[in-house]
Amino acid sequence: MRVILAFIACVMSAFALHLPDGTNQYDSNVWAAGRVENIKGYEGGMGEIFTFIQGNNYFAYGVVAIILAVIGAFILHFLIIGPKHFSHDGKKVYAFDIVERISHGIAALSWVILVPTGIIMMWGSSFGGGAFVNFMQDLHVIATVFFTISVFPMIFYWTIRMLPAVYDIRWMFIVGGYLSKKKRPVPAGKFNAGQKAWYWVAIPGGLVMIATGAAMYFLDFKAVPVADWLGISQIEVLRWSVIIHNILGIVCAVFFLVHIYMAAIAIHGAIWSMVNGYKEEEEVYVLHHYWYQELVSKNKIPVSDYEKVYDKLK
Amino acid sequence: MSEFNQNNRLKFYCDNDRCIDCNGCAVACDEAHELPIGVRRRRVITLNEGVIGKEVSTSIACMHCEDAPCSLVCPVDCFVIRPDGIVLHDKEVCIGCGYCLYACPFGAPQFPREGVFGAKGSMDKCTMCAGGVNIQTNSEHEFEEYGQNRIAEGKVPVCAAMCSTKALLVGESDIIEQIYLDRVSARGYGVKNIKESPTWKIAYYTKDRV
């Protein structure tokens, strides 16, 4: 117990040593020589562009318009075509191991926090600013830390399978069969083209979001010479960051909604594969047909009875 | 208070021919408002340092722009532009996101590090010694948050008050303009029309404004 208390005391005093911790302004990238750079970029440059976009609330209205459009599309899809049901009584195929599920779970939870808090910040004035929006901002920062932890296992486990394949084009043409009520095998590996698109938005895009967000959080960082690498002033790095962060954030929010709709509503019960690791055999056969063939050819699963029900894709 | 319009909005103007890079204004501001160590609302910068005939020093703070880009981009709308042209912001509403800094061409907004995680605190910038908004004038709370409210007491901002060469001018724009014009005609050179100088009217040019 005493050891624990001593440890806590050490941690607390480490924080205490760092407070108050102002950046010495003569060493500052933003406010020392960088302040001159700001004025050099007076006519033209990112400051103006950012002021134009943000001053017209394009980010804030943009995110709401796109999200409403996507939700509208879901409602139409749900009413006209409806969710796909696959037998939950048949055999199950083990799809995701514990590391994949935990890292995916952490990422999922952090995005559930990141996306709404981000939108609340965009609409800060409607929420009155101050303590509430500040709290949302803190949540945003904390969730980012968890997301950052979860990214690397997902990169390690999934990147190779997420590389595009030729049959993804065929998947794209039929939009994965989601626009039809008929169930027939679609050309997809372990991950279909939609999941691959989401992966390439969420993981590299997520890393860019982390990097640009970190730039805005640390603001006046000296140790990482980003501005030198890019050959622009520190303030321009920040301006690029905020524009990229906002636009990419809107894209990520949209894909996130699609992902939730697909997992929780459009394919009935699909979410369980990320909870217990098993996918329904019928779902694998129909929606991930090439993966099914791969598993059969490697003798990992027996030949399915569904071969009698559905055609087999070549 | 007299009626304010475009001709007598309160303005800063730094006469570059007189600024001797003494940093007195910056130090006076730090001291008068008891600013934390990481915050400097006013700073003297020198351009073309060491280049004979081209070296010029000037004092920069918030320029209290007419079109204040900071106020345009603020996601929580914490900025208030007073009728006399002073750009103020409400630290209670500010969330320290930094958007004002990204929009400001002068790098005026500052962010003290505070809290357990060393997060950016509420933005801090030059108030033209006019304190804050939505806060009791000349209260102790106002002093803690924003520094002195010298305007409310009828005094000139402390930077300009202590400027030894009177390079830094502050006041109603038509009076500043007249003082500067008198100087230019007396010494025979200088910017004839200070309304054309970049720091006079706007941060970004009209065509680019929102």
Side-chain angles (χ1 to χ4, degrees), chain A residues 181-220:
Chain A
K181 285 186 185 185
K182 262 182 89 177
K183 284 198 282 190
R184 85 184 81 148
V186 296
K190 184 172 182 181
F191 298 109
N192 64 40
Q195 288 173 305
K196 288 178 182 179
W198 163 232
Y199 175 87
W200 291 109
V201 167
I203 301 298
L207 289 174
V208 173
M209 292 294 280
I210 292 167
T212 51
M216 290 191 282
Y217 180 83
F218 293 110
L219 200 72
D220 197 12

Side-chain angles (χ1 to χ4, degrees), chain A residues 15 19-26 28 30-32 35-36 38-44 46-48 50-57 59 121-126 128-131 133-134 137-138 142 215-220 235 238-239 242 246, chain B residues 23 37-43 45-47 60-62 69 72-77 92-111 113-120 122 198-199 202-205 207-210:
Chain A
F15 277 124
L19 289 174
D21 189 11
T23 310
N24 184 330
Q25 293 248 318
Y26 281 101
S28 164
V30 178
W31 289 287
R35 212 168 190 187
V36 182
N38 297 346
I39 301 165
K40 273 187 192 159
Y42 202 73
E43 300 158 68
M46 298 309 291
E48 250 181 275
F50 170 67
T51 305
F52 175 74
I53 302 174
Q54 174 69 18
N56 282 312
N57 293 321
F59 291 133
M121 277 189 272
M122 282 180 169
W123 285 86
S125 56
S126 305
V133 182
N134 227 332
Q137 200 180 24
D138 292 343
I142 293 164
M216 290 191 282
Y217 180 83
F218 293 110
L219 200 72
D220 197 12
I235 193 79
L238 297 171
R239 287 165 176 169
V242 67
N246 272 298
Chain B
N23 274 282
I37 210 153
V39 171
R40 205 149 211 215
R41 291 178 181 175
R42 179 165 284 285
R43 170 187 305 285
I45 59 168
T46 303
L47 299 170
I60 287 188
C62 171
L72 289 174
V73 299
C74 180
V76 292
D77 293 343
E92 295 289 311
V93 178
C94 172
I95 57 168
C97 66
Y99 279 16
C100 46
L101 172 67
Y102 311 147
C104 178
F106 305 106
Q110 320 256 308
F111 296 90
R113 295 269 161 191
E114 55 189 39
V116 189
F117 302 114
K120 298 196 292 283
S122 288
T199 55
I202 53 169
Y204 303 116
Y205 286 96
K207 64 178 163 56
D208 301 316
R209 275 194 279 172
V210 174

Side-chain angles (χ1 to χ4, degrees), chain A:
Chain A
M1 189 66 203
R2 257 193 296 176
V3 176
I4 296 170
L5 280 178
F7 176 73
I8 292 171
C10 282
V11 173
M12 298 299 277
S13 53
F15 277 124
L17 280 178
H18 277 279
L19 289 174
D21 189 11
T23 310
N24 184 330
Q25 293 248 318
Y26 281 101
D27 294 334
S28 164
N29 275 346
V30 178
W31 289 287
R35 212 168 190 187
V36 182
E37 298 293 321
N38 297 346
I39 301 165
K40 273 187 192 159
Y42 202 73
E43 300 158 68
M46 298 309 291
E48 250 181 275
I49 294 168
F50 170 67
T51 305
F52 175 74
I53 302 174
Q54 174 69 18
N56 282 312
N57 293 321
Y58 288 145
F59 291 133
Y61 290 127
V63 72
V64 167
I66 290 181
I67 283 177
L68 286 180
V70 170
I71 291 174
F74 290 163
I75 292 170
L76 274 180
H77 177 265
F78 188 82
L79 293 177
I80 296 171
I81 294 159
K84 280 198 179 347
H85 290 268
F86 292 105
S87 165
H88 283 226
D89 306 325
K91 285 181 227 154
K92 294 181 193 300
V93 179
Y94 190 58
F96 301 111
D97 74 17
I98 185 80
V99 179
E100 287 172 286
R101 278 179 279 149
I102 289 179
S103 58
H104 179 270
I106 296 172
L109 267 179
S110 59
W111 277 60
V112 165
I113 298 170
L114 284 168
V115 171
T117 51
I119 294 170
I120 288 171
M121 277 189 272
M122 282 180 169
W123 285 86
S125 56
S126 305
F127 292 94
F132 174 70
V133 182
N134 227 332
F135 178 61
M136 291 296 125
Q137 200 180 24
D138 292 343
L139 278 183
H140 201 75
V141 171
I142 293 164
T144 303
V145 176
F146 286 98
F147 176 58
T148 312
I149 295 167
S150 73
V151 166
F152 295 99
M154 292 195 285
I155 293 178
F156 183 71
Y157 271 80
W158 290 343
T159 303
I160 290 174
R161 285 207 173 265
M162 290 293 183
L163 294 174
V166 181
Y167 53 74
D168 288 335
I169 300 169
R170 282 196 282 145
W171 189 96
M172 290 285 189
F173 272 115
I174 59 167
V175 202
Y178 292 109
L179 299 184
S180 119
K181 285 186 185 185
K182 262 182 89 177
K183 284 198 282 190
R184 85 184 81 148
V186 296
K190 184 172 182 181
F191 298 109
N192 64 40
Q195 288 173 305
K196 288 178 182 179
W198 163 232
Y199 175 87
W200 291 109
V201 167
I203 301 298
L207 289 174
V208 173
M209 292 294 280
I210 292 167
T212 51
M216 290 191 282
Y217 180 83
F218 293 110
L219 200 72
D220 197 12
F221 43 93
K222 279 202 80 77
V224 189
V226 181
D228 290 345
W229 294 336
L230 299 173
I232 52 179
S233 65
Q234 178 76 7
I235 193 79
E236 290 289 82
V237 172
L238 297 171
R239 287 165 176 169
W240 274 106
S241 292
V242 67
I243 293 171
I244 293 170
H245 197 86
N246 272 298
I247 293 173
L248 196 54
I250 294 173
V251 174
C252 285
V254 166
F255 272 77
F256 179 58
L257 273 184
V258 175
H259 190 58
I260 288 178
Y261 177 71
M262 286 296 167
I265 301 169
I267 307 160
H268 190 77
I271 203 167
W272 287 101
S273 70
M274 272 303 175
V275 179
N276 55 30
Y278 288 92
K279 270 184 185 294
E280 306 304 326
E281 190 189 20
E282 189 184 7
E283 193 185 323
V284 171
Y285 189 91
V286 174
L287 293 182
H288 303 280
H289 191 75
Y290 288 129
W291 188 50
Y292 160 78
Q293 291 184 353
E294 182 194 322
L295 288 174
V296 169
S297 69
K298 284 184 182 168
N299 279 327
K300 289 198 173 152
I301 56 167
V303 174
S304 168
D305 295 337
Y306 287 107
E307 289 202 9
K308 292 169 200 152
V309 183
Y310 301 110
D311 296 335
K312 210 173 158 188
L313 277 181
K314 267 189 220 154

